[in-house]
Amino acid sequence: MTEMNEELESELEPRPNKDLIRQGQRKTPRDAAELKKLVVRLNRIEGQIRGVRGQLERDAYCTDILIQVAAVKSALESFNKELLSNHLNAVVAPELKAGNNEVIDELVWALQKLR
């Protein structure tokens, strides 16, 4: 794909209202159980990353490292799925019920970033 096509495709992507998306300004309240579950997942991923670094430092065989990296990627994808599920239930559904359909554009935009 040419650079010009990439720029055009990027411009055509639906984007949510920039005023709504200012990193760090919006918050999603989480109950203690949800927060704990997400933090446990992140702690596990952090340990896996440290394991990859240790493998590199010990000159581990490349395919062994690649397998561990694949496990990290899978763990991150699982974290994203859990977070997305929580977002759909705690944020998107209530916003739609309140008549705010703009939340759909935001969700589509975010999902496109995950591919």
Side-chain angles (χ1 to χ4, degrees), residues 35-54:
L35 179 62
K36 182 177 181 177
K37 192 173 183 181
L38 291 171
V39 168
V40 165
R41 283 181 181 268
L42 288 176
N43 287 341
R44 190 174 307 126
I45 293 165
E46 186 179 18
Q48 288 175 307
I49 295 291
R50 282 193 306 269
V52 170
R53 185 182 58 227

Side-chain angles (χ1 to χ4, degrees), residues 19-39:
D19 294 333
L20 295 177
I21 299 181
R22 291 213 168 93
Q23 212 169 27
Q25 291 185 5
R26 296 179 305 160
K27 306 233 184 240
T28 300
R30 293 180 176 83
D31 64 39
E34 176 188 347
L35 179 62
K36 182 177 181 177
K37 192 173 183 181
L38 291 171
V39 168

Side-chain angles (χ1 to χ4, degrees), residues 83-97:
L83 190 62
L84 177 60
S85 175
N86 294 341
H87 181 67
L88 290 171
N89 289 310
V91 177
V92 175
E95 288 292 322
L96 287 174
K97 286 178 185 173

